[in-house]
Amino acid sequence: MVTSETDSNRLAAVQQAGVSAICDKPFEPATVRQLISQLVID
């Protein structure tokens, strides 16, 4: 999930709902590639 959300309670609820990765905006493409790689390998 890519988000600009800063509320830690909301982000915690999102993770509990099943989101496996969160990337803050603005983001670098390399960061997204790294997150995807980690999800594929795990």
Side-chain angles (χ1 to χ4, degrees):
M1 179 176 128
V2 176
T3 184
S4 59
E5 181 64 62
T6 58
D7 184 304
S8 60
N9 289 330
R10 287 185 181 179
L11 291 173
V14 167
Q15 284 184 312
Q16 288 177 351
V19 171
S20 34
I22 296 176
C23 184
D24 294 334
K25 288 190 220 173
F27 60 88
E28 294 294 323
T31 303
V32 176
R33 281 192 294 273
Q34 179 184 8
L35 287 171
I36 292 170
S37 293
Q38 290 172 350
L39 292 170
V40 171
I41 292 170
D42 291 340

